[in-house]
Amino acid sequence: MSDYKIVAIPINPRAPRANRMGPLDQLIHLTNFLAPALAVALVLAIVGPWFMSKSPSALGIITQAAINFIVGSLALALGLWFFGRDGKMASYAALLVVAASAQWAGGRGWR
């Protein structure tokens, strides 16, 4: 049985243009990489106060969404660094744990 995995192509500055990504391709890849962090951040910031209604939130929705997005993006970046590729379920689990912890701390969940 042959190996079906894609082999990494070494980056050569003299390689034909078809082998290199342009700025638009890089932007699309970055957007797709950060999309799960943005979605989780927005959902937690909007839905989170309903589940933690015993105390008023210390931060506004936009501020909490920004904090959740930043810590979620860092979790995804660490997963990419640790595993060497994007899309691992462990990275997404870390995203959820870290963003939920930031939401809990931002909503003063310990009170």
Side-chain angles (χ1 to χ4, degrees):
M1 182 185 275
S2 66
D3 190 12
Y4 63 91
K5 295 181 179 141
I6 298 173
V7 178
I9 299 171
I11 297 175
N12 181 358
R14 294 183 304 247
R17 178 76 174 119
N19 290 344
R20 291 185 277 164
M21 287 193 330
L24 184 60
D25 292 330
Q26 291 177 354
L27 179 65
I28 290 170
H29 277 76
L30 181 65
T31 304
N32 287 331
F33 175 71
L34 296 176
L38 181 63
V40 168
L42 292 175
V43 168
L44 280 177
I46 293 170
V47 177
W50 291 342
F51 293 104
M52 298 173 40
S53 61
K54 62 183 176 181
S55 65
S57 178
L59 305 169
I61 289 177
I62 294 177
T63 305
Q64 191 63 47
I67 292 170
N68 291 344
F69 176 69
I70 291 168
V71 297
S73 298
L74 289 175
L76 289 177
L78 284 174
L80 177 63
W81 172 78
F82 184 77
F83 294 114
R85 59 174 289 205
D86 179 32
K88 289 283 198 178
M89 290 306 291
S91 298
Y92 293 134
L95 163 67
L96 291 176
V97 168
V98 170
S101 298
Q103 180 68 34
W104 175 80
R108 296 181 181 172
W110 65 87
R111 289 187 174 202

